[in-house]
Amino acid sequence: MVRYKATIAYDGTNFSGFQSQINGRTVQDEIEKTLSKIANQAIKIRGSGRTDAGVHALGQVIDFSWPFERVPEKLRFALDTQTPADIAINQMELVSDDFHSRYQAKEKIYEFRVDIGKPRSPFRRFYSSYYPYELDVEKIKRALPDFLGTHDFTSFCSGKSVVKNKTRTIYEATMEMNEDKDEIVFTFRGDGFLYNMVRIMIGTLLKIGNGRISPDAIPQIIAACDRNAAGPTAHPEGLYLKEVKY
Amino acid sequence: MVRYKATIAYDGTNFSGFQSQINGRTVQDEIEKTLSKIANQAIKIRGSGRTDAGVHALGQVIDFSWPFERVPEKLRFALDTQTPADIAINQMELVSDDFHSRYQAKEKIYEFRVDIGKPRSPFRRFYSSYYPYELDVEKIKRALPDFLGTHDFTSFCSGKSVVKNKTRTIYEATMEMNEDKDEIVFTFRGDGFLYNMVRIMIGTLLKIGNGRISPDAIPQIIAACDRNAAGPTAHPEGLYLKEVKY
């Protein structure tokens, strides 16, 4: 048996998330179904982490063991052309047996897109989270650096999470407005992210931009270690898993 | 009765085209349904022209008569918020009684997007026409100016068209590659376009880029006045009605 690592992209709109579940179409199920057909035996994959229903991926990483060595590009092509059109297999490489896409991930980069156009663009309805309210971008820019560094991010983690250690390190937290000034793209790079973490960070930043939370409140919200201290969870359609580094 | 002109955008993916038809969901039906509900009486709209199933609009223009004068922005807002999310009402203005969105259109601008990335982007599958074959962009650039000017475009018109006068004037025919070099955007500006005209022009240009039609062949293809002389009809999902000028 050998092990392959693949970098994949998917449009999360019509998926109930990445991970296999009893009901609903998932990315994992679609890929496992295709790989099992190609290998003519049951193949299971591991992902660098889950993504929720509606969340997209530009560079999710998976790995799986395979019965025999094959030219990576041929395996990539076979998998890419046989998976549905909302999944793309962008890269494939042979890795050592002990490679693990989740345990060995060193950094993740997430992007979050907010559509602030008026009216809402029909083309972004599944690809950007719509925010039609007043937004002072300068306040958001002031708050963003307060996420940097190593913190207990309990306040920015869904209550449903079962993870014990909620300390994570954020290396990068930036925002950029597009040329037409109708979409904001946030980028977060860190050693790992808790369940719903980016979406709660965005929900909080949008409240800051809207004047309902102070731009200086992030340190206190982090210190509270209380999910209720932060803002709401932003919608999934704006979120993209952009890159996983090893 | 007064008359309003509206500029609208729509994601054509889930429409059987712009124009009302017996079966299938259409842009016209959705807008008429909403306007009739707001006015509490049957309202009919006219469009600057049809778009086919799967074809998008960034700036389609419609007009309709309305029982009484209303602040345009209020009517725009009411219509925009009550139409489905794949339609956006971007502008609304009161026009003179004799305004006609089709007969008075002076120029139209179409955009056509071709996805040349490998593999195909899951995010463009409904928004760009995929062309995975060899493409010499220089050959296409050489051929494009041959569309400019006034010509009988019978060769670039669907055989299903019932229009008699097939002479049209093209003012602009350009292409641009995006930064990532994985998508080409074509722009065509003219006094009018025949049925499937842009899609047949693109189908022909892609054959030129692929080396199966000479880059100098456009004048002969035009002169032939024969649909069979041109290339195939490109897929609808790359086509956008970008602007209508009056």
PDB file of all heavy atoms in Angstrom, chain A residues 187-213:
ATOM      1  N   THR A 187      -8.741  37.706   5.123  1.00  0.00           N
ATOM      2  CA  THR A 187      -7.845  36.557   5.124  1.00  0.00           C
ATOM      3  C   THR A 187      -7.340  36.301   6.541  1.00  0.00           C
ATOM      4  O   THR A 187      -6.900  37.230   7.218  1.00  0.00           O
ATOM      5  CB  THR A 187      -6.644  36.797   4.175  1.00  0.00           C
ATOM      6  OG1 THR A 187      -7.143  37.088   2.875  1.00  0.00           O
ATOM      7  CG2 THR A 187      -5.742  35.577   4.104  1.00  0.00           C
ATOM      8  N   PHE A 188      -7.439  35.051   6.982  1.00  0.00           N
ATOM      9  CA  PHE A 188      -6.940  34.654   8.297  1.00  0.00           C
ATOM     10  C   PHE A 188      -5.995  33.475   8.136  1.00  0.00           C
ATOM     11  O   PHE A 188      -6.346  32.482   7.506  1.00  0.00           O
ATOM     12  CB  PHE A 188      -8.094  34.228   9.215  1.00  0.00           C
ATOM     13  CG  PHE A 188      -9.056  35.344   9.522  1.00  0.00           C
ATOM     14  CD1 PHE A 188     -10.232  35.473   8.795  1.00  0.00           C
ATOM     15  CD2 PHE A 188      -8.778  36.261  10.514  1.00  0.00           C
ATOM     16  CE1 PHE A 188     -11.120  36.512   9.065  1.00  0.00           C
ATOM     17  CE2 PHE A 188      -9.665  37.297  10.801  1.00  0.00           C
ATOM     18  CZ  PHE A 188     -10.835  37.427  10.073  1.00  0.00           C
ATOM     19  N   ARG A 189      -4.803  33.632   8.693  1.00  0.00           N
ATOM     20  CA  ARG A 189      -3.832  32.527   8.667  1.00  0.00           C
ATOM     21  C   ARG A 189      -3.475  32.179  10.095  1.00  0.00           C
ATOM     22  O   ARG A 189      -3.184  33.076  10.901  1.00  0.00           O
ATOM     23  CB  ARG A 189      -2.590  32.955   7.888  1.00  0.00           C
ATOM     24  CG  ARG A 189      -1.532  31.870   7.731  1.00  0.00           C
ATOM     25  CD  ARG A 189      -0.478  32.264   6.688  1.00  0.00           C
ATOM     26  NE  ARG A 189       0.204  33.490   7.053  1.00  0.00           N
ATOM     27  CZ  ARG A 189       1.300  33.546   7.817  1.00  0.00           C
ATOM     28  NH1 ARG A 189       1.849  32.437   8.298  1.00  0.00           N
ATOM     29  NH2 ARG A 189       1.857  34.702   8.096  1.00  0.00           N
ATOM     30  N   GLY A 190      -3.539  30.892  10.422  1.00  0.00           N
ATOM     31  CA  GLY A 190      -3.248  30.495  11.794  1.00  0.00           C
ATOM     32  C   GLY A 190      -2.793  29.050  11.868  1.00  0.00           C
ATOM     33  O   GLY A 190      -2.815  28.338  10.863  1.00  0.00           O
ATOM     34  N   ASP A 191      -2.390  28.627  13.064  1.00  0.00           N
ATOM     35  CA  ASP A 191      -1.924  27.232  13.206  1.00  0.00           C
ATOM     36  C   ASP A 191      -3.092  26.259  13.274  1.00  0.00           C
ATOM     37  O   ASP A 191      -2.902  25.041  13.222  1.00  0.00           O
ATOM     38  CB  ASP A 191      -0.985  27.084  14.416  1.00  0.00           C
ATOM     39  CG  ASP A 191      -1.682  27.334  15.750  1.00  0.00           C
ATOM     40  OD1 ASP A 191      -2.830  27.838  15.744  1.00  0.00           O
ATOM     41  OD2 ASP A 191      -1.076  27.042  16.796  1.00  0.00           O
ATOM     42  N   GLY A 192      -4.301  26.801  13.379  1.00  0.00           N
ATOM     43  CA  GLY A 192      -5.487  25.963  13.416  1.00  0.00           C
ATOM     44  C   GLY A 192      -6.676  26.834  13.772  1.00  0.00           C
ATOM     45  O   GLY A 192      -6.507  27.949  14.287  1.00  0.00           O
ATOM     46  N   PHE A 193      -7.871  26.342  13.480  1.00  0.00           N
ATOM     47  CA  PHE A 193      -9.073  27.134  13.748  1.00  0.00           C
ATOM     48  C   PHE A 193     -10.117  26.252  14.417  1.00  0.00           C
ATOM     49  O   PHE A 193     -10.273  25.075  14.062  1.00  0.00           O
ATOM     50  CB  PHE A 193      -9.620  27.713  12.439  1.00  0.00           C
ATOM     51  CG  PHE A 193      -8.738  28.781  11.839  1.00  0.00           C
ATOM     52  CD1 PHE A 193      -7.644  28.433  11.043  1.00  0.00           C
ATOM     53  CD2 PHE A 193      -8.971  30.130  12.099  1.00  0.00           C
ATOM     54  CE1 PHE A 193      -6.813  29.411  10.507  1.00  0.00           C
ATOM     55  CE2 PHE A 193      -8.146  31.111  11.567  1.00  0.00           C
ATOM     56  CZ  PHE A 193      -7.064  30.749  10.764  1.00  0.00           C
ATOM     57  N   LEU A 194     -10.807  26.798  15.384  1.00  0.00           N
ATOM     58  CA  LEU A 194     -11.855  26.058  16.101  1.00  0.00           C
ATOM     59  C   LEU A 194     -13.136  26.020  15.267  1.00  0.00           C
ATOM     60  O   LEU A 194     -13.269  26.703  14.248  1.00  0.00           O
ATOM     61  CB  LEU A 194     -12.129  26.736  17.448  1.00  0.00           C
ATOM     62  CG  LEU A 194     -10.907  26.832  18.365  1.00  0.00           C
ATOM     63  CD1 LEU A 194     -11.140  27.866  19.460  1.00  0.00           C
ATOM     64  CD2 LEU A 194     -10.610  25.458  18.970  1.00  0.00           C
ATOM     65  N   TYR A 195     -14.092  25.238  15.739  1.00  0.00           N
ATOM     66  CA  TYR A 195     -15.373  25.087  15.039  1.00  0.00           C
ATOM     67  C   TYR A 195     -16.101  26.441  14.971  1.00  0.00           C
ATOM     68  O   TYR A 195     -16.374  27.076  16.003  1.00  0.00           O
ATOM     69  CB  TYR A 195     -16.223  24.037  15.767  1.00  0.00           C
ATOM     70  CG  TYR A 195     -17.492  23.670  15.048  1.00  0.00           C
ATOM     71  CD1 TYR A 195     -17.540  23.587  13.658  1.00  0.00           C
ATOM     72  CD2 TYR A 195     -18.659  23.415  15.755  1.00  0.00           C
ATOM     73  CE1 TYR A 195     -18.709  23.252  13.003  1.00  0.00           C
ATOM     74  CE2 TYR A 195     -19.843  23.074  15.103  1.00  0.00           C
ATOM     75  CZ  TYR A 195     -19.854  23.005  13.719  1.00  0.00           C
ATOM     76  OH  TYR A 195     -21.023  22.681  13.070  1.00  0.00           O
ATOM     77  N   ASN A 196     -16.389  26.874  13.747  1.00  0.00           N
ATOM     78  CA  ASN A 196     -17.064  28.159  13.469  1.00  0.00           C
ATOM     79  C   ASN A 196     -16.216  29.393  13.796  1.00  0.00           C
ATOM     80  O   ASN A 196     -16.730  30.520  13.773  1.00  0.00           O
ATOM     81  CB  ASN A 196     -18.395  28.286  14.225  1.00  0.00           C
ATOM     82  CG  ASN A 196     -19.524  27.528  13.544  1.00  0.00           C
ATOM     83  OD1 ASN A 196     -19.350  27.002  12.447  1.00  0.00           O
ATOM     84  ND2 ASN A 196     -20.681  27.475  14.175  1.00  0.00           N
ATOM     85  N   MET A 197     -14.935  29.209  14.086  1.00  0.00           N
ATOM     86  CA  MET A 197     -14.097  30.323  14.556  1.00  0.00           C
ATOM     87  C   MET A 197     -14.064  31.506  13.584  1.00  0.00           C
ATOM     88  O   MET A 197     -14.313  32.648  13.981  1.00  0.00           O
ATOM     89  CB  MET A 197     -12.680  29.822  14.841  1.00  0.00           C
ATOM     90  CG  MET A 197     -11.733  30.880  15.382  1.00  0.00           C
ATOM     91  SD  MET A 197     -10.293  30.062  16.126  1.00  0.00           S
ATOM     92  CE  MET A 197      -9.058  31.341  15.982  1.00  0.00           C
ATOM     93  N   VAL A 198     -13.784  31.232  12.317  1.00  0.00           N
ATOM     94  CA  VAL A 198     -13.698  32.342  11.352  1.00  0.00           C
ATOM     95  C   VAL A 198     -15.060  33.032  11.219  1.00  0.00           C
ATOM     96  O   VAL A 198     -15.156  34.259  11.194  1.00  0.00           O
ATOM     97  CB  VAL A 198     -13.195  31.858   9.975  1.00  0.00           C
ATOM     98  CG1 VAL A 198     -13.193  33.001   8.970  1.00  0.00           C
ATOM     99  CG2 VAL A 198     -11.805  31.265  10.089  1.00  0.00           C
ATOM    100  N   ARG A 199     -16.126  32.230  11.186  1.00  0.00           N
ATOM    101  CA  ARG A 199     -17.456  32.815  11.016  1.00  0.00           C
ATOM    102  C   ARG A 199     -17.857  33.678  12.212  1.00  0.00           C
ATOM    103  O   ARG A 199     -18.527  34.699  12.049  1.00  0.00           O
ATOM    104  CB  ARG A 199     -18.485  31.707  10.755  1.00  0.00           C
ATOM    105  CG  ARG A 199     -18.294  31.079   9.360  1.00  0.00           C
ATOM    106  CD  ARG A 199     -19.087  29.803   9.172  1.00  0.00           C
ATOM    107  NE  ARG A 199     -20.517  30.019   9.363  1.00  0.00           N
ATOM    108  CZ  ARG A 199     -21.409  29.030   9.380  1.00  0.00           C
ATOM    109  NH1 ARG A 199     -21.016  27.779   9.205  1.00  0.00           N
ATOM    110  NH2 ARG A 199     -22.684  29.297   9.557  1.00  0.00           N
ATOM    111  N   ILE A 200     -17.428  33.299  13.416  1.00  0.00           N
ATOM    112  CA  ILE A 200     -17.749  34.129  14.595  1.00  0.00           C
ATOM    113  C   ILE A 200     -16.868  35.379  14.609  1.00  0.00           C
ATOM    114  O   ILE A 200     -17.316  36.468  14.978  1.00  0.00           O
ATOM    115  CB  ILE A 200     -17.593  33.320  15.905  1.00  0.00           C
ATOM    116  CG1 ILE A 200     -18.534  32.106  15.892  1.00  0.00           C
ATOM    117  CG2 ILE A 200     -17.886  34.195  17.131  1.00  0.00           C
ATOM    118  CD1 ILE A 200     -18.297  31.097  17.027  1.00  0.00           C
ATOM    119  N   MET A 201     -15.608  35.241  14.175  1.00  0.00           N
ATOM    120  CA  MET A 201     -14.740  36.423  14.066  1.00  0.00           C
ATOM    121  C   MET A 201     -15.371  37.433  13.095  1.00  0.00           C
ATOM    122  O   MET A 201     -15.425  38.637  13.377  1.00  0.00           O
ATOM    123  CB  MET A 201     -13.347  36.008  13.583  1.00  0.00           C
ATOM    124  CG  MET A 201     -12.534  35.243  14.644  1.00  0.00           C
ATOM    125  SD  MET A 201     -11.146  34.304  13.912  1.00  0.00           S
ATOM    126  CE  MET A 201      -9.869  35.543  13.850  1.00  0.00           C
ATOM    127  N   ILE A 202     -15.852  36.940  11.953  1.00  0.00           N
ATOM    128  CA  ILE A 202     -16.477  37.827  10.960  1.00  0.00           C
ATOM    129  C   ILE A 202     -17.764  38.440  11.516  1.00  0.00           C
ATOM    130  O   ILE A 202     -17.992  39.651  11.401  1.00  0.00           O
ATOM    131  CB  ILE A 202     -16.781  37.058   9.650  1.00  0.00           C
ATOM    132  CG1 ILE A 202     -15.490  36.607   8.965  1.00  0.00           C
ATOM    133  CG2 ILE A 202     -17.624  37.911   8.693  1.00  0.00           C
ATOM    134  CD1 ILE A 202     -14.631  37.730   8.409  1.00  0.00           C
ATOM    135  N   GLY A 203     -18.601  37.616  12.152  1.00  0.00           N
ATOM    136  CA  GLY A 203     -19.846  38.133  12.734  1.00  0.00           C
ATOM    137  C   GLY A 203     -19.562  39.254  13.728  1.00  0.00           C
ATOM    138  O   GLY A 203     -20.301  40.242  13.805  1.00  0.00           O
ATOM    139  N   THR A 204     -18.461  39.113  14.475  1.00  0.00           N
ATOM    140  CA  THR A 204     -18.068  40.131  15.454  1.00  0.00           C
ATOM    141  C   THR A 204     -17.516  41.376  14.755  1.00  0.00           C
ATOM    142  O   THR A 204     -17.867  42.509  15.098  1.00  0.00           O
ATOM    143  CB  THR A 204     -17.009  39.535  16.414  1.00  0.00           C
ATOM    144  OG1 THR A 204     -17.524  38.318  16.964  1.00  0.00           O
ATOM    145  CG2 THR A 204     -16.675  40.513  17.540  1.00  0.00           C
ATOM    146  N   LEU A 205     -16.682  41.174  13.746  1.00  0.00           N
ATOM    147  CA  LEU A 205     -16.099  42.313  13.005  1.00  0.00           C
ATOM    148  C   LEU A 205     -17.185  43.126  12.302  1.00  0.00           C
ATOM    149  O   LEU A 205     -17.101  44.357  12.219  1.00  0.00           O
ATOM    150  CB  LEU A 205     -15.074  41.803  11.978  1.00  0.00           C
ATOM    151  CG  LEU A 205     -13.763  41.278  12.576  1.00  0.00           C
ATOM    152  CD1 LEU A 205     -12.962  40.504  11.517  1.00  0.00           C
ATOM    153  CD2 LEU A 205     -12.918  42.420  13.143  1.00  0.00           C
ATOM    154  N   LEU A 206     -18.210  42.444  11.782  1.00  0.00           N
ATOM    155  CA  LEU A 206     -19.285  43.181  11.101  1.00  0.00           C
ATOM    156  C   LEU A 206     -20.075  44.023  12.118  1.00  0.00           C
ATOM    157  O   LEU A 206     -20.484  45.150  11.813  1.00  0.00           O
ATOM    158  CB  LEU A 206     -20.212  42.214  10.343  1.00  0.00           C
ATOM    159  CG  LEU A 206     -19.564  41.511   9.139  1.00  0.00           C
ATOM    160  CD1 LEU A 206     -20.528  40.507   8.508  1.00  0.00           C
ATOM    161  CD2 LEU A 206     -19.096  42.518   8.079  1.00  0.00           C
ATOM    162  N   LYS A 207     -20.246  43.503  13.325  1.00  0.00           N
ATOM    163  CA  LYS A 207     -20.909  44.296  14.377  1.00  0.00           C
ATOM    164  C   LYS A 207     -20.049  45.501  14.768  1.00  0.00           C
ATOM    165  O   LYS A 207     -20.557  46.571  15.089  1.00  0.00           O
ATOM    166  CB  LYS A 207     -21.185  43.429  15.612  1.00  0.00           C
ATOM    167  CG  LYS A 207     -22.490  42.662  15.522  1.00  0.00           C
ATOM    168  CD  LYS A 207     -23.097  42.468  16.915  1.00  0.00           C
ATOM    169  CE  LYS A 207     -24.569  42.108  16.813  1.00  0.00           C
ATOM    170  NZ  LYS A 207     -25.223  41.966  18.121  1.00  0.00           N
ATOM    171  N   ILE A 208     -18.738  45.320  14.749  1.00  0.00           N
ATOM    172  CA  ILE A 208     -17.827  46.440  15.014  1.00  0.00           C
ATOM    173  C   ILE A 208     -17.965  47.485  13.909  1.00  0.00           C
ATOM    174  O   ILE A 208     -18.101  48.673  14.171  1.00  0.00           O
ATOM    175  CB  ILE A 208     -16.364  45.936  15.148  1.00  0.00           C
ATOM    176  CG1 ILE A 208     -16.186  45.193  16.470  1.00  0.00           C
ATOM    177  CG2 ILE A 208     -15.362  47.076  15.008  1.00  0.00           C
ATOM    178  CD1 ILE A 208     -14.855  44.478  16.633  1.00  0.00           C
ATOM    179  N   GLY A 209     -17.961  47.036  12.661  1.00  0.00           N
ATOM    180  CA  GLY A 209     -18.101  47.954  11.524  1.00  0.00           C
ATOM    181  C   GLY A 209     -19.428  48.678  11.534  1.00  0.00           C
ATOM    182  O   GLY A 209     -19.551  49.811  11.069  1.00  0.00           O
ATOM    183  N   ASN A 210     -20.440  48.015  12.092  1.00  0.00           N
ATOM    184  CA  ASN A 210     -21.779  48.596  12.159  1.00  0.00           C
ATOM    185  C   ASN A 210     -21.984  49.465  13.402  1.00  0.00           C
ATOM    186  O   ASN A 210     -23.043  50.051  13.602  1.00  0.00           O
ATOM    187  CB  ASN A 210     -22.816  47.460  12.125  1.00  0.00           C
ATOM    188  CG  ASN A 210     -24.223  47.968  11.897  1.00  0.00           C
ATOM    189  OD1 ASN A 210     -25.086  47.771  12.748  1.00  0.00           O
ATOM    190  ND2 ASN A 210     -24.462  48.638  10.785  1.00  0.00           N
ATOM    191  N   GLY A 211     -20.954  49.553  14.261  1.00  0.00           N
ATOM    192  CA  GLY A 211     -21.016  50.446  15.413  1.00  0.00           C
ATOM    193  C   GLY A 211     -21.680  49.849  16.648  1.00  0.00           C
ATOM    194  O   GLY A 211     -21.880  50.546  17.640  1.00  0.00           O
ATOM    195  N   ARG A 212     -21.985  48.565  16.602  1.00  0.00           N
ATOM    196  CA  ARG A 212     -22.684  47.983  17.751  1.00  0.00           C
ATOM    197  C   ARG A 212     -21.755  47.279  18.739  1.00  0.00           C
ATOM    198  O   ARG A 212     -22.162  46.848  19.796  1.00  0.00           O
ATOM    199  CB  ARG A 212     -23.816  47.067  17.276  1.00  0.00           C
ATOM    200  CG  ARG A 212     -24.992  47.908  16.725  1.00  0.00           C
ATOM    201  CD  ARG A 212     -26.083  47.029  16.184  1.00  0.00           C
ATOM    202  NE  ARG A 212     -25.600  46.272  15.038  1.00  0.00           N
ATOM    203  CZ  ARG A 212     -26.106  45.108  14.650  1.00  0.00           C
ATOM    204  NH1 ARG A 212     -27.089  44.558  15.319  1.00  0.00           N
ATOM    205  NH2 ARG A 212     -25.635  44.498  13.585  1.00  0.00           N
ATOM    206  N   ILE A 213     -20.480  47.131  18.348  1.00  0.00           N
ATOM    207  CA  ILE A 213     -19.437  46.663  19.273  1.00  0.00           C
ATOM    208  C   ILE A 213     -18.263  47.618  19.083  1.00  0.00           C
ATOM    209  O   ILE A 213     -17.994  48.053  17.955  1.00  0.00           O
ATOM    210  CB  ILE A 213     -19.003  45.197  18.965  1.00  0.00           C
ATOM    211  CG1 ILE A 213     -20.158  44.201  19.211  1.00  0.00           C
ATOM    212  CG2 ILE A 213     -17.794  44.794  19.807  1.00  0.00           C
ATOM    213  CD1 ILE A 213     -19.793  42.725  18.960  1.00  0.00           C
TER     214      ILE A 213
END
